């Protein structure tokens, strides 16, 4: 899936990309929010690395929190904000 320009990146674009990545990481969990919450520490690191590669950005450690990783929508909002910088 091509990455839209930062000025046109929407939460919907990011959510679609995150859902695709989560399907690869947690194929047996159809609920994306539950999939994020089900990741163990290694799985979460692998998922964040995949997200950074897919969206071609680096997520500062200071931005990673229970809140920003609590749901696909929260993570999408963070990524949209980071891409807009």
């Amino acid at each position: 899936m091509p990455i839209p320009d930062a000025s046109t990146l929407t939460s919907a674009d990011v959510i679609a990309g995150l859902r695709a990545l989560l399907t690869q990481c947690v194929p047996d969990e159809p609920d994306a929010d539950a999939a994020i919450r089900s990741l163990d520490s290694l799985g979460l690191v692998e998922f964040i690395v995949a997200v950074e590669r897919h969206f071609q950005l680096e997520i500062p450690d200071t931005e990673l929190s229970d809140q920003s990783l609590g749901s696909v929508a929260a993570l999408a909002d963070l990524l949209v904000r980071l891409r807009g910088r």
Side-chain angles (χ1 to χ4, degrees):
M1 172 164 76
I3 307 302
D5 179 88
S7 63
T8 62
L9 188 68
T10 67
S11 289
D13 297 326
V14 176
I15 288 171
L18 291 173
R19 287 182 189 278
L21 292 170
L22 281 165
T23 299
Q24 294 171 10
C25 293
V26 190
D28 296 333
E29 178 54 69
D31 181 309
D33 289 339
I36 278 185
R37 290 189 300 270
S38 75
L39 293 170
D40 62 16
S41 57
L42 179 58
L44 186 57
V45 169
E46 290 173 343
F47 174 65
I48 294 301
V49 169
V51 168
E52 290 177 327
R53 286 183 181 153
H54 181 80
F55 291 102
Q56 301 170 356
L57 56 78
E58 184 175 336
I59 303 171
D61 291 344
T62 56
E63 296 285 354
L64 297 173
S65 66
D66 288 342
Q67 183 178 357
S68 64
L69 295 171
S71 69
V72 171
L75 183 54
D77 290 343
L78 170 63
L79 297 177
V80 168
R81 185 169 50 82
L82 292 174
R83 283 293 298 253
R85 284 185 183 173

